[in-house]
Each structure stands twice: as C-alpha cells, then as structure tokens.
Amino acid sequence: MAATIKDVARLAGVSQSSVCRALARPDQVRPDTRERVERAARDLGYYPNRAARGLITGRTANIGVVLPDLANPFFPSVVKAIQTQARRFDYAVFLSDTDEDPAIEVPLIRALAKQVDGFLLCSPRSGEEELRAFAGQIPIVVLNRRITPFPSVTADSADGMRQAIGHLHALGHRRVAYVAGPRASWSNRDRLRGLRSATGAYDMELIEAGNVAPTVDGGAAVADTVAASPATAVIAYNDLVALGLLNRFRARGIAVPGRISVVGFDDILLAGLVSPALTTVAIAKEQIGRTGVELLLDLLADRDPVNRRTPTQLIVRDSTGPLTDQIR
Amino acid sequence: MAATIKDVARLAGVSQSSVCRALARPDQVRPDTRERVERAARDLGYYPNRAARGLITGRTANIGVVLPDLANPFFPSVVKAIQTQARRFDYAVFLSDTDEDPAIEVPLIRALAKQVDGFLLCSPRSGEEELRAFAGQIPIVVLNRRITPFPSVTADSADGMRQAIGHLHALGHRRVAYVAGPRASWSNRDRLRGLRSATGAYDMELIEAGNVAPTVDGGAAVADTVAASPATAVIAYNDLVALGLLNRFRARGIAVPGRISVVGFDDILLAGLVSPALTTVAIAKEQIGRTGVELLLDLLADRDPVNRRTPTQLIVRDSTGPLTDQIR
DNA sequence: TTGAAAGCGATACCAG
DNA sequence: CTGGTATCGCTTTCAA
C-alpha cells in the first residue's frame, strides 16, 4: 500500500541506511545520492512511519492530553495553545476527554503511555496517590493542579480572588457567596482557599454553596439557594456556573447586579457576550497550554522543569455593581 | 523502563508467544498458563505497546481527527461525540486543529497517516482535488462536507434554511440578508444554496453579505453593512457570526428583533444564553460525530458506507420577531 | 498447547 | 560516504 523505506531504497538503488541518512541528515551523504533518494521518496509519496521510528528511537513525537470535558470552553482554549506549541516542535497530539469520570483517567494513561512521549494532564480528577504512581514511569506535566512530584502549571487563583473581593468590597458588598465546583477539582479547592483568605483580609462574610457540576445547569441548580441567602454578591467556581446563575436569576426576575452581583472565573468567550456581560477573573489559558508543553519538553530533555504560576486578571463587566441602599 | 512482553514471559516462565496468546485469546492456552501470565502481567503493570502491535497487525486502533478550529464551540461537541463512540470500540483519538489554515491539512494527514487507521476530516478547507488524492490510499470519512468518493456525514442545511425562511416569512419578513462564512467552507456554500432555494420558494428577496471569518469578530465586522441594507432579518453563517451581529447591533442601539431579526446556525451552547436568546438552526452535532465514527469503522471493515445526512431543527428563541409596522 | 523464529518499518552501529 | 545487520515490542505462522 503506502511506500516504505525499502521501496525508496530499491527505487533509488541504495540501501535503507542511506535512505534514512539522506532524509534525516542530508549532509552526511553525497549530494547525488541525496538527490536520488529525495526524488524516489517524492515519486513514491514516501512518509516515514512515525510509530515504527518511535519503536527504535524511543521517541514517538506525540504528546498525550487528558482533560475532563471538552464541552467546557475553557479546555478548547488550552488545547489549542497546546497544539500550536506542540506543532512548533513537530509533536502531534493525542486527545482524551474523560467526561469528568475519574475512573477512566488512569487506565487511559496506561493504554496511551507507550504511544506518547509524555502527558499533559489538564485538571485531572483522580486521587493524588493514583497519579503519583506514574511518577518516574511516565513523563507527566499537570495543568491546573499541583501534585508533587510532577511539574505543574497553575493559575494564580488566590490573586484573582483577591482582585474579585477587592472589587466587590469597594462596591460596598460585605457578604459574598461562593458556588463550589466539583469536589474532586483541585482548582475548586484552590479557589476556595484563595477566597477564604481574601474575605478574611477584607473582613467579609463568606457563604458557601455547592458543590455543583461545573456547567450551566450546575449553576442554575443552586441559583435559588444563593438568592435565598443573605449574600449580595456571588462568585462562581467558573463562568459556566456563573452563566447558569445569571440565567436563573433573569428567569426569576432577580436583578443583576441590582439585587445581586455575579462574578465568574476563566473568562471564556461567552462571558463577554451575555447581558449583563459577566465580570470574571481571566485566566491565561493560552499561556497555560503553551507553558505546559514547554515544561513537558524540558522534562523529556532531562532539564529540570520548575512549577509555573500564571497570572489572573479581573475583568470588570456589567454583572457587578454597587450595593444599593434598599438592599443594605 | 516500562514492562514489555519479554519481561512478562520471563516472569511467567513461558514464551512470548504464550503471553501474547494468553492475553489475546485466553481460551487457546491452558488455564494454569493463563493464570501465571495474567498474574505476571498484573505484577509488572504490563500494557502492550499499541504502536508496536500496529506495526505487525496493520491496525493502530487510532483514528485521526482534523478540524479547522477548536475555538468554535461547534467542533468540541462533535469531537466529544467522536471520542465517546471511538472509545466504545477501543479506539483512541489523534486530534489536529489546523487553525483554519488549508495549507497544513494535507501535510498533517500525510504525517499522521501511518499512526492511525483512518481519518475523520471535519469541515476540511482544502481543495477537492488535493483531498481526492488520498482516495484509495487512506481511509477517510468527511464531516460537514461532501467530496466524492469519500463517505460523508452532512447536515441537512437546505431543510434548516427552509424552516428558518418559513419562520421569517410567517413573521412577515420579505427581505432577508445572509452573512456568508469562509469561501473555502463547503457548509457555507451548502447553506447558501439551501437559502437561495428557500427564498426562491417563498418569493423573498435575498441580500448577500460577507464572506467573513466564522467568528464573533467576523459577525461584528459586517453588522453595520447589514443594518444599512434593506433587510429586516438576517441569517448568519453560524452562531458565532450571529452573536457578533447581535453584539454590534446592541452597541449601536439597533433593536433585535424590533428593528431586525437574527437567525444563527449550529445551536451552540452560547446561543441559548445571550439575550435576546438566539433563534438558530440546530445541527445534530453528536449524531454527526457518532455517525462519522461508524462510517469510518465500516470503511475499515470493508463494509461499504453510505453517505448520511443528519436532520436540522429550527430553534425559535427571542432574536426573531414579527415585522413591525413602522419598518414595513 | 507451546515455543522458535520471522517480520512489521525504521534507526543505529559498525565495518569497509 | 555507504551497506549490512541487529534491534525496538509485538503478533503470527509453523513445528514440535
């Protein structure tokens, strides 16, 4: 069917070795040999079998990406950045969506392990111990979570929360609710941690709701609970949850930001398009993806990668506003 | 490093062949051999190298997915469905985002060809001839486009357009604009074709604008042109473009649907969340992904796949309304 | 039922 | 600079 190195060798009248060399290190063969090989390769439409190559070189030039849910617009942004950076180094990407099911993460990694040089685990939901079992076995970089001993790229949620709380405080809010995301999500715990510290610093009351699925429906599901609480502002685990809140509030005629202010997290495309436009903490999604690839390549090259923390930036839009008199 | 079949063989005290058999066809070995092998494999954490296996079996159990832009929420939906269905048959997915750049599609396919059993090309932007060159060489199923001789899965855009136009006509509209997407997009041409036929049938005037990038910015870029036209309703190439229109209309104080009605295409998540919520033609995204995998598997099993056309469904929301008197 | 050996496609090493 | 040969990890004859 498809041409192999043998076919090229035969057509060019040289050995396999020479074909290999002519194509990989053109300066190590005589110009005329190289030309003959190149022509033969072109004529036959020869492309090396990267899997076969990987077998002997121990390098597949593939990287595996595992993430919980491609339907959350946050992840496509990260994946795109990963793709772009990977392509730059001639790596291809194996993608796996686990559908928020922690149970399939580990088997998946096992099954794919030999086909990739390493993994980028985006927001993995498995237990630390399970993942740690891969340490020293498979090169792994973790995104949006910190698990020693893997190098990781995380967003500076604490700072984002500080900005958000500072903003709400300045607007006069003193009681803020947090709608928590999946219990298994490290980001969720990290954000909550940052939030607690921020509300502490500003002497504000924190009301915790959730946990909910990190989706629009998840947000809608707790909207009434939040509305019934004394909170005058709510910070959601992520933008999807925030949009769920927004939606349900609108349906019930609860004014945003008049009656309650809403803050999201991630700054997905949707956030700027709804009305009121969502105030949210932007995460450097592209940077996370790009940096993740860089760390993985470091790891593969036996350079010692250091953990990275990417900046966050509060984007103030229309869903947050001053605490009005009648509410206070 | 990682355990190979040899290690298992040694530990179990049998030959490689037996390990292979014990794991692949357990009924062809004696029960006690099988048990020894299974235990050894478990103890060593042995997982077969699928790339090596592919080398000999000629089957990689991978499928390649190529798409123009993961940032368009339409594609993640399709990819998720592909993943789910692929996993069901123990296939893994290679993903490649071409960033709407037709130039890298073909090289990409070539480079990945030996690592996958076949490709699912989602909305490929390359020329027909270039792609046709793969016919008979690499199993390919095309999604959202029709290119003989490849099996394909496409949405019934014509019917969707008929529904949309019927809806607008019933509301009193007689002049409708179409904002065209990428010239290289088959879907765009298909939708336009369907639209022309529908406006013809209803004796409505069609005003064509574009072509624009299939993004929010693309929509925003032609919004003023559309507003300046005599159209009282506009159908956008897709939801992102429609949202761009909506955004710009809002910014300019052009009432939707009061002054102009807006219809999108795809029914991405965003469509239901903006306000006014976007009337749009829903496409069976999951079905497209799932069916694509089915056709590819048919192709691989030498069954003869037939082209599929998935249904479309107009989702009426708040961005379309009756033609008001003062406009008419 | 089992083992030895060939071979998939490519690269690496060693002679020449 | 070139060719022969071993090898990567696995599956598949073919004999025993």
Side-chain angles (χ1 to χ4, degrees):
Chain A
M1 197 86 228
T4 75
I5 200 170
K6 268 185 185 159
D7 303 320
V8 179
R10 199 176 313 124
L11 183 58
V14 298
S15 71
Q16 290 185 38
S17 323
S18 296
V19 174
C20 187
R21 264 182 239 116
L23 265 27
R25 288 173 297 274
D27 48 308
Q28 288 185 28
V29 300
R30 263 205 338 245
D32 66 312
T33 327
R34 172 159 52 107
E35 253 169 64
R36 285 224 308 291
V37 169
E38 278 170 353
R39 227 170 56 84
R42 199 162 352 101
D43 290 355
L44 276 84
Y46 169 74
Y47 278 79
N49 182 331
R50 295 166 58 130
R53 173 188 292 166
L55 208 51
I56 181 105
T57 60
R59 189 177 162 282
T60 62
N62 293 149
I63 72 184
V65 173
V66 180
L67 46 78
D69 184 15
L70 211 47
N72 177 346
F74 175 80
F75 293 110
S77 298
V78 176
V79 172
K80 244 183 113 75
I82 291 174
Q83 284 266 1
T84 305
Q85 187 70 358
R87 182 134 49 225
R88 187 165 299 155
F89 293 92
D90 201 31
Y91 272 83
V93 170
F94 253 110
L95 185 78
S96 271
D97 179 320
T98 64
D99 247 321
E100 296 275 354
D101 182 355
I104 65 176
E105 276 180 4
V106 166
L108 203 63
I109 295 172
R110 285 248 163 67
L112 256 50
K114 305 257 177 67
Q115 291 187 86
V116 303
D117 292 336
F119 284 95
L120 252 27
L121 305 186
C122 303
S123 315
R125 307 301 200 207
S126 300
E128 297 215 356
E129 285 315 319
E130 286 174 273
L131 291 176
R132 228 190 305 274
F134 292 121
Q137 313 264 12
I138 306 175
I140 287 182
V141 169
V142 179
L143 271 33
N144 304 317
R145 181 169 176 183
R146 196 143 288 189
I147 308 177
T148 46
F150 306 114
S152 67
V153 186
T154 52
D156 193 347
S157 306
D159 185 54
M161 282 300 186
R162 213 171 300 129
Q163 296 178 52
I165 288 299
H167 169 63
L168 292 175
H169 186 271
L171 289 170
H173 296 273
R174 293 299 177 267
R175 286 187 305 271
V176 58
Y178 176 66
V179 177
R183 215 176 287 276
S185 159
W186 184 90
S187 301
N188 177 57
R189 297 192 297 274
D190 191 46
R191 288 170 192 184
L192 183 53
R193 211 165 20 235
L195 182 54
R196 283 194 184 130
S197 137
T199 49
Y202 280 95
D203 199 29
M204 286 169 65
E205 184 185 346
L206 177 59
I207 297 151
E208 300 181 22
N211 307 60
V212 302
T215 61
V216 173
D217 291 338
V222 285
D224 295 327
T225 307
V226 170
S229 82
T232 63
V234 54
I235 300 184
Y237 165 64
N238 71 10
D239 285 347
L240 291 179
V241 171
L243 291 170
L245 292 172
L246 240 38
N247 246 23
R248 177 63 185 166
F249 288 158
R250 178 176 340 119
R252 283 196 50 203
I254 297 172
V256 173
R259 159 70 182 79
I260 190 165
S261 287
V262 178
V263 177
F265 228 96
D266 288 353
D267 192 30
I268 61 179
L269 175 63
L270 273 94
L273 297 178
V274 296
S275 63
L278 185 64
T279 292
T280 186
V281 176
I283 292 190
K285 301 179 274 293
E286 288 71 25
Q287 192 182 345
I288 290 180
R290 184 161 32 80
T291 310
V293 174
E294 285 169 7
L295 292 198
L296 186 54
L297 294 183
D298 281 352
L299 205 57
L300 296 174
D302 279 319
R303 285 186 296 266
D304 235 343
V306 295
N307 291 343
R308 302 287 183 83
R309 183 165 282 263
T310 63
T312 51
Q313 174 63 57
L314 179 73
I315 310 287
V316 176
R317 298 206 182 93
D318 308 332
S319 68
T320 47
L323 191 64
T324 53
D325 286 330
Q326 79 269 22
I327 291 177
R328 201 169 340 157
Chain B
M1 196 87 227
T4 74
I5 200 172
K6 268 184 187 162
D7 303 319
V8 180
R10 200 175 314 124
L11 182 60
V14 299
S15 71
Q16 289 185 39
S17 328
S18 297
V19 174
C20 186
R21 266 183 233 115
L23 266 26
R25 288 173 299 273
D27 49 308
Q28 288 186 27
V29 300
R30 263 204 341 244
D32 64 315
T33 327
R34 172 159 49 107
E35 255 169 62
R36 285 223 309 290
V37 169
E38 278 170 352
R39 227 170 56 85
R42 199 160 354 98
D43 291 354
L44 270 62
Y46 169 73
Y47 279 78
N49 182 329
R50 294 164 62 129
R53 172 187 292 166
L55 208 49
I56 181 117
T57 60
R59 189 176 162 282
T60 62
N62 293 148
I63 72 183
V65 174
V66 180
L67 46 78
D69 184 15
L70 210 49
N72 178 347
F74 175 80
F75 293 109
S77 298
V78 176
V79 172
K80 244 183 112 76
I82 291 174
Q83 284 265 359
T84 305
Q85 186 70 358
R87 182 133 53 223
R88 185 165 298 154
F89 293 93
D90 201 32
Y91 271 83
V93 170
F94 252 110
L95 184 78
S96 271
D97 178 319
T98 63
D99 246 322
E100 296 275 355
D101 183 355
I104 66 177
E105 276 181 3
V106 166
L108 203 62
I109 295 172
R110 284 250 162 67
L112 256 50
K114 306 252 176 71
Q115 291 187 87
V116 303
D117 293 337
F119 285 94
L120 253 28
L121 305 186
C122 303
S123 315
R125 306 301 199 208
S126 300
E128 297 216 357
E129 285 314 320
E130 286 175 273
L131 292 176
R132 230 191 302 277
F134 291 122
Q137 313 264 12
I138 305 174
I140 287 182
V141 169
V142 179
L143 270 35
N144 303 318
R145 179 168 175 181
R146 197 143 288 192
I147 309 177
T148 46
F150 306 114
S152 67
V153 186
T154 52
D156 194 347
S157 305
D159 185 53
M161 282 300 185
R162 213 171 300 128
Q163 296 178 52
I165 288 298
H167 169 64
L168 292 174
H169 186 272
L171 289 169
H173 296 273
R174 294 299 176 265
R175 286 187 303 272
V176 57
Y178 176 66
V179 177
R183 215 176 287 276
S185 158
W186 185 88
S187 301
N188 177 59
R189 296 192 298 273
D190 192 46
R191 287 170 192 184
L192 183 54
R193 207 160 30 229
L195 182 54
R196 282 193 185 130
S197 137
T199 48
Y202 279 95
D203 199 29
M204 284 168 66
E205 183 184 348
L206 177 59
I207 297 151
E208 301 182 21
N211 306 58
V212 302
T215 61
V216 173
D217 291 338
V222 285
D224 296 326
T225 308
V226 170
S229 82
T232 63
V234 53
I235 299 184
Y237 164 64
N238 72 9
D239 285 349
L240 290 179
V241 171
L243 291 171
L245 293 171
L246 239 39
N247 247 21
R248 176 65 184 166
F249 287 159
R250 178 175 342 119
R252 282 195 51 202
I254 297 171
V256 174
R259 159 70 182 79
I260 190 164
S261 287
V262 177
V263 177
F265 229 96
D266 288 352
D267 192 30
I268 61 179
L269 174 63
L270 273 93
L273 297 179
V274 295
S275 64
L278 185 64
T279 292
T280 186
V281 177
I283 293 190
K285 301 178 275 293
E286 288 71 26
Q287 191 182 344
I288 289 180
R290 184 162 33 80
T291 310
V293 173
E294 285 169 10
L295 293 198
L296 186 55
L297 293 183
D298 281 352
L299 205 57
L300 295 175
D302 278 320
R303 288 186 294 266
D304 236 340
V306 294
N307 290 344
R308 302 288 183 82
R309 183 164 280 262
T310 62
T312 51
Q313 174 64 56
L314 180 73
I315 310 286
V316 175
R317 298 207 181 93
D318 308 331
S319 68
T320 46
L323 191 63
T324 53
D325 286 328
Q326 79 269 22
I327 291 177
R328 201 174 337 161

